[in-house]
Amino acid sequence: MAVDRSRRARAARRRRRRMARVEHDLTDEQWTALQEAWGGCAYCGATDRPLQRDCVLALSRGGRYTLDNIAPACGPCNASKCNDEVTSWLRRKHLDERAFLVRHLEVSAALARRFAVEPAGPAEASAPSEQGVG
Protein backbone atom coordinates (compact mmCIF):
# COMPACT_ATOMS: atom_id res chain seq x y z
CA MET A 1 0.00 0.00 0.00
CA ALA A 2 1.36 3.40 -0.95
CA VAL A 3 2.09 5.96 1.77
CA ASP A 4 0.28 9.26 1.38
CA ARG A 5 3.01 11.89 1.04
CA SER A 6 0.81 14.98 1.09
CA ARG A 7 1.56 17.78 3.52
CA ARG A 8 -1.63 17.06 5.45
CA ALA A 9 -0.80 13.35 5.79
CA ARG A 10 2.76 14.12 6.97
CA ALA A 11 1.41 16.57 9.55
CA ALA A 12 -1.12 13.99 10.75
CA ARG A 13 1.62 11.38 11.18
CA ARG A 14 3.81 13.85 13.11
CA ARG A 15 0.88 14.73 15.38
CA ARG A 16 0.13 11.04 16.05
CA ARG A 17 3.77 10.45 17.01
CA ARG A 18 3.80 13.53 19.26
CA MET A 19 0.56 12.46 20.95
CA ALA A 20 1.89 8.93 21.52
CA ARG A 21 5.09 10.22 23.21
CA VAL A 22 3.33 11.87 26.16
CA GLU A 23 0.82 10.67 28.71
CA HIS A 24 -2.53 12.43 28.57
CA ASP A 25 -4.78 12.14 31.60
CA LEU A 26 -7.76 14.37 30.79
CA THR A 27 -10.95 12.36 31.21
CA ASP A 28 -14.23 12.97 29.39
CA GLU A 29 -15.78 14.02 32.72
CA GLN A 30 -13.03 16.62 33.25
CA TRP A 31 -13.46 17.91 29.68
CA THR A 32 -17.19 18.34 30.26
CA ALA A 33 -16.51 20.16 33.54
CA LEU A 34 -14.01 22.46 31.78
CA GLN A 35 -16.57 23.38 29.12
CA GLU A 36 -19.21 24.10 31.77
CA ALA A 37 -16.80 26.16 33.91
CA TRP A 38 -15.71 28.36 31.01
CA GLY A 39 -19.18 28.63 29.48
CA GLY A 40 -17.78 29.17 25.99
CA CYS A 41 -14.49 29.81 24.26
CA ALA A 42 -11.82 30.56 26.87
CA TYR A 43 -10.25 33.15 24.59
CA CYS A 44 -13.01 35.08 22.82
CA GLY A 45 -16.07 33.94 24.82
CA ALA A 46 -17.98 32.60 21.78
CA THR A 47 -20.87 30.34 22.79
CA ASP A 48 -22.42 29.71 19.37
CA ARG A 49 -19.75 27.29 18.10
CA PRO A 50 -18.58 23.80 19.06
CA LEU A 51 -15.58 23.85 21.39
CA GLN A 52 -12.27 22.08 20.84
CA ARG A 53 -9.58 21.05 23.31
CA ASP A 54 -6.77 23.57 23.10
CA CYS A 55 -3.49 23.11 24.95
CA VAL A 56 -2.49 26.32 26.69
CA LEU A 57 1.09 25.07 26.38
CA ALA A 58 1.11 23.46 22.93
CA LEU A 59 1.94 19.77 22.47
CA SER A 60 4.87 20.76 20.27
CA ARG A 61 6.25 22.81 23.17
CA GLY A 62 5.96 20.05 25.76
CA GLY A 63 2.31 20.42 26.80
CA ARG A 64 -0.12 17.56 27.20
CA TYR A 65 -3.83 16.96 27.68
CA THR A 66 -4.20 17.56 31.42
CA LEU A 67 -6.79 19.38 33.48
CA ASP A 68 -4.59 22.44 34.01
CA ASN A 69 -3.29 22.68 30.43
CA ILE A 70 -6.53 22.45 28.43
CA ALA A 71 -8.83 25.34 27.66
CA PRO A 72 -11.99 25.07 25.56
CA ALA A 73 -11.56 27.05 22.34
CA CYS A 74 -13.74 27.75 19.35
CA GLY A 75 -12.38 26.56 16.02
CA PRO A 76 -11.18 29.97 14.80
CA CYS A 77 -9.29 30.69 18.05
CA ASN A 78 -7.76 27.22 18.18
CA ALA A 79 -6.63 27.40 14.55
CA SER A 80 -5.32 30.95 14.95
CA LYS A 81 -3.37 30.14 18.11
CA CYS A 82 -1.81 27.07 16.52
CA ASN A 83 1.24 26.31 18.71
CA ASP A 84 1.92 29.91 19.78
CA GLU A 85 2.60 30.86 23.37
CA VAL A 86 -0.78 31.88 24.79
CA THR A 87 0.04 35.32 26.23
CA SER A 88 1.80 36.63 23.13
CA TRP A 89 -1.03 35.27 20.96
CA LEU A 90 -3.65 37.00 23.16
CA ARG A 91 -1.76 40.30 22.88
CA ARG A 92 -1.43 39.97 19.11
CA LYS A 93 -5.18 39.30 18.78
CA HIS A 94 -5.99 42.21 21.13
CA LEU A 95 -7.76 39.90 23.59
CA ASP A 96 -7.73 40.48 27.36
CA GLU A 97 -4.62 38.59 28.49
CA ARG A 98 -5.08 39.37 32.19
CA ALA A 99 -8.73 38.27 32.22
CA PHE A 100 -7.82 34.96 30.56
CA LEU A 101 -4.94 34.23 32.97
CA VAL A 102 -6.99 35.06 36.07
CA ARG A 103 -9.95 33.02 34.86
CA HIS A 104 -7.68 30.12 33.85
CA LEU A 105 -6.18 30.08 37.35
CA GLU A 106 -9.63 30.18 38.99
CA VAL A 107 -11.04 27.40 36.81
CA SER A 108 -7.93 25.24 37.20
CA ALA A 109 -7.94 25.60 40.99
CA ALA A 110 -11.66 24.86 41.30
CA LEU A 111 -11.47 21.81 39.06
CA ALA A 112 -8.29 20.56 40.75
CA ARG A 113 -10.19 20.55 44.05
CA ARG A 114 -13.18 18.86 42.42
CA PHE A 115 -11.11 16.11 40.78
CA ALA A 116 -8.55 15.73 43.58
CA VAL A 117 -6.91 12.37 44.05
CA GLU A 118 -8.46 10.31 46.84
CA PRO A 119 -6.74 10.75 50.22
CA ALA A 120 -4.02 8.26 51.06
CA GLY A 121 -4.95 5.07 52.91
CA PRO A 122 -4.18 4.58 56.65
CA ALA A 123 -0.78 2.94 56.04
CA GLU A 124 0.33 5.71 53.69
CA ALA A 125 -1.08 8.48 55.88
CA SER A 126 1.02 7.42 58.89
CA ALA A 127 4.30 7.30 56.95
CA PRO A 128 5.04 11.07 56.99
CA SER A 129 4.53 11.34 60.76
CA GLU A 130 6.95 8.45 61.33
CA GLN A 131 9.59 10.28 59.31
CA GLY A 132 9.18 13.39 61.44
CA VAL A 133 10.00 11.51 64.66
CA GLY A 134 13.67 11.35 64.89
Side-chain angles (χ1 to χ4, degrees), residues 38 42-43 85-105:
W38 281 97
Y43 304 120
E85 194 272 328
V86 70
T87 54
S88 61
W89 176 79
L90 287 166
R91 280 186 223 127
R92 192 173 62 251
K93 296 297 278 184
H94 303 288
L95 297 170
D96 193 347
E97 174 187 359
R98 179 174 165 69
F100 168 77
L101 293 173
V102 168
R103 182 74 179 131
H104 185 264
L105 183 62

Side-chain angles (χ1 to χ4, degrees), residues 25-26 30 34 65-70 104 108 111-112 115:
D25 59 2
L26 185 73
Q30 290 171 333
L34 269 169
Y65 281 12
T66 59
L67 189 59
D68 61 343
N69 191 46
I70 293 292
H104 185 264
S108 294
L111 292 179
F115 293 104

Side-chain angles (χ1 to χ4, degrees), residues 6 9 33 44 53 63 66 76 78 86 95 109 121 124-125 133:
S6 69
C44 70
R53 298 172 189 199
T66 59
N78 196 8
V86 70
L95 297 170
E124 295 170 345
V133 176

Side-chain angles (χ1 to χ4, degrees), residues 35-52:
Q35 291 179 75
E36 291 169 359
W38 281 97
C41 177
Y43 304 120
C44 70
T47 58
D48 60 339
R49 300 181 181 126
L51 298 175
Q52 303 171 356

Side-chain angles (χ1 to χ4, degrees), residues 4-79:
D4 188 356
R5 297 187 191 286
S6 69
R7 180 181 293 175
R8 180 174 289 181
R10 286 192 315 266
R13 284 191 296 273
R14 278 195 308 272
R15 179 174 173 75
R16 270 195 304 276
R17 284 192 300 267
R18 235 185 356 257
M19 294 288 281
R21 280 195 299 259
V22 294
E23 182 180 336
H24 304 288
D25 59 2
L26 185 73
T27 65
D28 290 337
E29 182 184 7
Q30 290 171 333
W31 170 238
T32 301
L34 269 169
Q35 291 179 75
E36 291 169 359
W38 281 97
C41 177
Y43 304 120
C44 70
T47 58
D48 60 339
R49 300 181 181 126
L51 298 175
Q52 303 171 356
R53 298 172 189 199
D54 180 53
C55 289
V56 176
L57 176 63
L59 294 171
S60 62
R61 295 175 182 258
R64 43 190 207 118
Y65 281 12
T66 59
L67 189 59
D68 61 343
N69 191 46
I70 293 292
C74 64
C77 284
N78 196 8

